Structures are given as structure tokens and as C-alpha cells.
């Protein structure tokens, strides 16, 4: 295996046409390309103080270390290694994009001080069967105001509730997980005021009735769902349709309540004392009693206006 050191960096980056001493090479270096070099350990490369991009994907790394000096780093590529824990990165204050896909990470942690991180890619972690990816609340809170893009594809996730606090999230890639609760999904999506793109193909929830319609109506900015565009006209139509249905349901419920509630109140108040009965809404009781008394009242009224039978008088 290979250890990443200043000597290795110098050897890999030296240009034959431009002879320079090692110190100058390390000091001027901004992009480090060492992908696919069987590197299993990151040693001392503290002389590379101006690094902005590091490519270390497709190696054999098991631990993230010795990168604290790279304070100018904006992009870090560590995908397809054997890393099991996210650590030693909180000193990289300028880091914007972090690629950790295809590793062995079970918990997203150790990123709570990265206030400029915009993209986090942690797809397809090699987890034990039945395990799922977890999210440390402190890290999620730390990323709430900066993270724009999150890729959690194929990580056995059953819920996105842990991601609810990501207020600035614009693009979520969560394909091929185990998301099945449409209520949980729409509740969280409705909290993301800046979400514009969702990729959820391969989840059980996608086969549920009105899956697409419910996600469209719960977000005002969602423009792309599973690769298909959403027009403002479509969103407005679905929202109006939802409002109309809710209105019809409300009217139906009120009609049902008005037709049954007074009779129920009347039956309940029969055994109450006069004081308790008087404290109940008068209109409800009176409306109910009108129905009960209507027949008696009609009968009595008819008797008042009934003419007496003609009697035969003798002349």
C-alpha cells in the first residue's frame, strides 16, 4: 500500500520541462490529483498550504486525517475508499463540496462547523444488511443554513425526518431507499422552502396513489420531480383542485352536523337541570326543539281554526 506524503506529492506533480525545488512545488500547488494510486494513509502534507481541490477517490483510505492545514480547500473527493467515520474535517472552513460516496459510513457526523458546505454526497454506503444511514442532529443543525445539495441514494433510509431542519436545501437525491410514508415525506418537503428538485425513484412511496400530485401541491418551488418538470400552471391547477375538494368536504360535514347535532343535544339535555340546560347554546336547543314540536304545534294550530260542526236547529 501507499502512504500520501510530501515526497509522493512532489514526485507526482513535478514537471520535467520546468525544474523547481520541492518547497516551491508544494507551496504553489492548488490541485492535487492522486486518485487511483492505492493510497491507504494520509501522511504529512502540511507544506501544501494553498490546496483548494484534492482528488483522492478510488484509493484504499480507511481514515480521514492530516488535512487540517488545508484551510483554503473548497472541494474534497474521497469517494470509493474504505472510510468508516467522518472526522477531522471541521477545520476546513472554506469547504464547499464533499464527496464521500461508496464508503462504509453509518453516521453523518463531524460536519457541524462547516458553515460553507453546499454539497454533500454520501450515496451507496456499504452498510451491513438491514442497517440504514443515520444523521447526527448537531451536524444537521450546523448544515441547516448552508447545505444546498444532498445525495443519500441507496442507504436503506425509511424516513427523511432527520433532514427536516435543512432550510436551504434545493436538491435532494434519495433514490433506491425504503421511503414508504407519503405523509412523512410531504410534511418534511413542505418545510423546505427552497427545494426545487427531488429524485425519489426506486422508493415504495413512488407507487402510492397520487404520489406526484401530493408532492407538487405541498411545495411552492418544486420544479423537478423524478426527472420530470413541473410547470406553475400544473401546480396552480392541482392546488385549486385540492382547495375545491376541501371546500366540498367542509360543506358536506357541516350539513351532516347541522342535521344531527340538535337532536343529539335535545336528547342529552332532557336529564339536565334547568340551569345547565339554559347554559347550552340557546339556538341549538331551540332548533332541535322546533323539530320535535312542529307536529304538535301544527296539530294545535289546526284545532284553533277548526270550525265547529253544524248543528240542526228547530224552527
Amino acid at each position: 500500500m501507499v502512504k500520501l506524503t510530501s515526497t509522493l506529492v512532489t514526485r507526482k506533480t513535478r514537471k520535467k520541462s520546468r525544474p523547481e525545488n520541492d518547497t516551491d512545488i508544494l507551496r504553489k500547488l492548488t490541485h492535487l490529483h492522486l486518485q487511483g494510486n492505492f493510497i491507504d494513509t494520509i501522511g504529512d502534507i502540511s507544506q501544501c498550504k494553498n490546496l483548494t481541490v484534492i482528488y483522492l477517490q478510488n484509493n484504499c483510505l480507511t481514515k480521514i486525517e492530516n488535512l487540517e492545514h488545508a484551510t483554503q480547500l473548497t472541494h474534497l473527493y474521497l469517494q470509493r475508499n474504505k472510510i468508516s467515520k467522518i472526522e477531522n474535517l471541521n477545520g476546513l472552513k472554506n469547504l464547499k463540496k464533499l464527496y464521500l460516496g461508496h464508503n462504509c459510513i453509518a453516521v453523518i457526523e463531524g460536519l457541524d462547523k462547516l458553515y460553507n458546505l453546499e454539497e454533500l454526497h454520501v450515496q451507496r454506503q456499504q452498510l451491513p444488511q438491514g442497517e440504514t444511514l443515520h444523521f447526527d442532529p448537531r451536524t444537521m443543525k450546523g448544515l441547516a443554513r448552508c447545505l444546498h445539495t444532498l445525495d443519500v441514494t441507496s442507504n436503506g433510509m425509511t424516513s427523511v425526518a432527520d433532514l427536516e431542519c435543512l432550510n436551504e436545501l434545493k436538491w435532494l437525491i434519495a433514490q433506491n431507499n425504503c421511503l414508504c410514508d407519503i405523509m412523512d415525506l410531504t410534511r418534511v418537503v413542505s418545510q423546505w422552502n427552497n427545494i426545487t428538485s427531488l429524485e425519489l425513484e426506486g422508493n415504495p412511496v413512488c407507487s402510492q396513489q397520487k404520489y406526484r400530485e401530493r408532492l407538487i401541491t405541498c411545495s411552492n418551488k418544486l420544479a423537478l420531480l423524478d426527472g420530470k418538470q413541473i410547470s406553475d400552471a400544473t401546480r396552480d391547477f392541482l392546488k385549486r383542485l385540492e382547495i375545491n375538494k376541501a371546500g366540498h368536504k367542509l360543506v358536506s360535514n357541516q350539513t351532516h352536523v347541522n342535521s344531527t347535532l340538535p337532536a343529539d343535544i335535545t336528547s342529552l339535555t332532557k336529564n339536565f337541570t334547568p340551569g345547565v340546560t339554559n347554559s347550552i347554546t340557546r339556538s341549538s336547543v331551540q332548533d332541535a326543539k322546533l323539530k320535535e314540536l312542529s307536529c304538535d304545534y301544527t296539530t294545535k294550530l289546526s284545532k284553533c281554526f277548526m270550525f265547529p260542526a253544524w248543528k240542526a236547529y228547530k224552527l
Side-chain angles (χ1 to χ4, degrees):
M1 291 298 177
V2 181
K3 183 176 182 178
L4 175 57
T5 62
S6 297
T7 303
L8 178 65
V9 172
T10 303
R11 191 174 76 239
K12 292 285 186 180
T13 58
R14 185 186 298 275
K15 296 181 180 180
K16 296 180 180 180
S17 60
R18 188 189 302 174
E20 294 180 284
N21 61 53
D22 294 352
T23 303
D24 288 340
I25 292 175
L26 297 174
R27 180 174 55 84
K28 294 179 180 180
L29 191 64
T30 59
H31 289 61
L32 181 58
H33 295 267
L34 287 175
Q35 61 271 25
N37 277 275
F38 302 99
I39 297 172
D40 65 332
T41 307
I42 301 175
D44 182 12
I45 54 172
S46 58
Q47 290 180 279
C48 305
K49 296 184 180 297
N50 293 309
L51 286 174
T52 57
V53 182
I54 296 179
Y55 298 94
L56 284 173
Q57 67 269 30
N58 296 301
N59 280 292
C60 305
L61 294 171
T62 58
K63 186 176 182 179
I64 304 173
E65 56 186 341
N66 295 320
L67 294 176
E68 296 86 354
H69 66 281
T71 55
Q72 303 303 314
L73 198 66
T74 60
H75 295 61
L76 180 56
Y77 296 83
L78 293 171
Q79 64 268 37
R80 297 187 183 277
N81 279 281
K82 299 178 181 179
I83 299 167
S84 59
K85 184 177 182 180
I86 304 175
E87 56 187 340
N88 302 319
L89 292 177
N90 268 334
L92 308 181
K93 304 297 184 181
N94 292 303
L95 192 64
K96 292 184 177 181
K97 297 183 180 182
L98 177 58
Y99 295 82
L100 288 166
H102 298 270
N103 277 286
C104 308
I105 299 167
V107 181
I108 304 304
E109 58 185 342
L111 304 174
D112 47 291
K113 297 293 193 300
L114 301 184
Y115 302 126
N116 290 306
L117 190 66
E118 297 177 355
E119 293 188 21
L120 177 61
H121 300 263
V122 289
Q123 71 277 18
R124 301 183 185 279
Q125 298 302 314
Q126 299 174 31
L127 302 174
Q129 188 173 4
E131 291 292 323
T132 183
L133 188 66
H134 296 280
F135 299 85
D136 174 46
R138 289 173 299 180
T139 289
M140 291 298 102
K141 186 177 180 180
L143 298 177
R145 296 184 179 181
C146 61
L147 196 67
H148 292 170
T149 302
L150 177 62
D151 187 352
V152 290
T153 298
S154 298
N155 282 314
M157 293 175 58
T158 58
S159 173
V160 292
D162 291 339
L163 311 178
E164 184 175 348
C165 65
L166 298 177
N167 302 321
E168 298 299 320
L169 193 65
K170 295 180 180 179
W171 186 11
L172 175 66
I173 309 168
Q175 300 166 326
N176 300 313
N177 279 288
C178 302
L179 303 175
C180 59
D181 190 340
I182 187 64
M183 294 295 291
D184 174 71
L185 187 59
T186 53
R187 181 184 62 80
V188 175
V189 171
S190 67
Q191 300 301 311
W192 293 334
N193 296 324
N194 296 293
I195 194 73
T196 58
S197 179
L198 278 175
E199 296 184 28
L200 302 170
E201 301 101 321
N203 284 281
V205 72
C206 297
S207 61
Q208 292 191 18
Q209 188 176 14
K210 296 187 177 180
Y211 149 79
R212 186 174 178 85
E213 289 85 347
R214 295 181 70 172
L215 281 175
I216 292 174
T217 55
C218 77
S219 173
N220 292 324
K221 291 188 177 181
L222 191 62
L224 200 66
L225 177 58
D226 297 336
K228 297 180 180 179
Q229 289 188 344
I230 302 167
S231 66
D232 290 336
T234 299
R235 190 191 338 274
D236 292 341
F237 170 76
L238 290 174
K239 285 192 173 185
R240 287 198 302 270
L241 187 62
E242 188 178 64
I243 292 172
N244 289 338
K245 286 183 178 179
H248 287 311
K249 186 176 181 181
L250 180 61
V251 171
S252 176
N253 289 341
Q254 287 179 342
T255 303
H256 177 69
V257 169
N258 290 336
S259 64
T260 60
L261 184 59
D264 294 339
I265 292 178
T266 304
S267 64
L268 288 172
T269 56
K270 285 181 179 179
N271 297 323
F272 288 169
T273 61
V276 175
T277 303
N278 291 335
S279 67
I280 301 176
T281 306
R282 182 179 300 175
S283 61
S284 297
V285 176
Q286 287 179 345
D287 288 344
K289 287 184 177 180
L290 280 175
K291 290 185 178 181
E292 293 185 356
L293 297 177
S294 59
C295 293
D296 295 338
Y297 177 76
T298 303
T299 303
K300 291 179 181 178
L301 190 63
S302 63
K303 287 182 179 179
C304 292
F305 290 96
M306 185 178 293
F307 289 98
W310 286 101
K311 293 183 180 180
Y313 290 95
K314 294 180 181 181
L315 297 175

